[in-house]
Amino acid sequence: MASKEDIRSSRRLHRRTLSPERLARAGESLAQHGTAWAAKVSPGPFATFAVYLGVAFEPPTIPLITSLHEAGHRVLLPVCEPGRLLSWVYWRPETAFVRSSYAPIDEPEGERMESSVIAGTAGIFMPATAVDRDGNRIGQGGGYYDRLLQGLDASGGRPPTIAVVFDDDLLPSGSIPAEAFDRPVRQVLTPSGVVQLHDGAEQG
């Protein structure tokens, strides 16, 4: 089995081969399927969803963020804090972005809230460089989301959680080594649609 870092590096190299046209199509499809998923987990408008800003060759999420907003939902975006923790800012169409001091991402400007706000959301769209069909996820390597999910799981308050990847970032079972601190996901959002990773009820 390849190491997480090897898989992460391989997927990043592959993503760099994607054309702007393919990235744009992926963003449109992720918005369509992601907004439909949001409607299933929280019927009706005026729910709040935690999303993230896909940058460079990550799956584009601005179309999803905009689509959720147009559907009447509120959107929270993450900000990296010291100690590999996250705070959150409500996104609006006029929200400005700045480069993070702690990670290679763009972050929203605005009033920051602690991660306890996420327990009250209807769902979490989370980044990944790869996910296998056992639900094991590889993020960017910072551990921010594993810490977030660990806290939510400990309180019993984790909302439905879906990892966002390209279609070929969904790997066969057993592809990703699982570690004690990892928090698996049960659903994956790809440009082709939502993939359910097991047959039970949503557990994250």
Side-chain angles (χ1 to χ4, degrees):
M1 181 184 296
S3 70
K4 285 185 176 181
E5 190 52 47
D6 286 344
I7 297 170
R8 184 182 293 114
S9 297
S10 174
R11 299 319 306 166
R12 284 174 172 168
L13 286 173
H14 175 73
R15 287 177 172 186
R16 291 179 182 275
T17 69
L18 301 179
S19 67
E21 293 77 17
R22 183 173 173 186
L23 288 170
R25 290 195 302 271
E28 294 171 1
S29 296
L30 290 169
Q32 176 186 349
H33 297 302
T35 304
W37 179 82
K40 288 184 66 176
V41 300
S42 182
F46 312 122
T48 298
F49 289 89
V51 197
Y52 70 97
L53 183 66
V55 297
F57 294 94
E58 291 184 300
T61 56
I62 279 290
L64 171 62
I65 292 166
T66 302
S67 179
L68 291 170
H69 174 77
E70 291 174 347
H73 302 303
R74 302 184 76 186
V75 174
L76 284 163
L77 297 182
V79 175
C80 295
E81 303 285 3
R84 299 183 184 253
L85 300 175
L86 294 173
S87 62
W88 298 84
V89 173
Y90 279 107
W91 177 87
R92 297 173 180 83
E94 65 272 17
T95 296
F97 290 89
V98 296
R99 199 64 172 173
S100 172
S101 300
Y102 300 99
I105 61 172
D106 293 332
E107 298 175 332
E109 293 185 319
E111 180 184 358
R112 299 183 185 184
M113 286 157 287
E114 295 182 352
S115 278
S116 56
V117 71
I118 300 302
T121 63
I124 305 170
F125 294 87
M126 62 187 303
T129 54
V131 179
D132 71 13
R133 289 187 176 271
D134 298 318
N136 297 311
R137 166 188 162 273
I138 298 177
Q140 297 293 354
Y144 289 91
Y145 277 86
D146 286 320
R147 285 175 173 80
L148 172 69
L149 297 184
Q150 185 176 22
L152 292 169
D153 288 343
S155 68
R158 194 208 292 201
T161 305
I162 190 165
V164 183
V165 294
F166 293 108
D167 292 289
D168 47 12
D169 294 328
L170 180 57
L171 307 179
S173 293
S175 296
I176 296 176
E179 301 176 71
F181 57 81
D182 289 333
R183 289 298 181 268
V185 295
R186 296 297 175 230
Q187 291 183 306
V188 174
L189 173 63
T190 75
S192 294
V194 173
V195 180
Q196 183 75 39
L197 298 182
H198 76 151
D199 296 329
E202 169 66 35
Q203 296 178 359

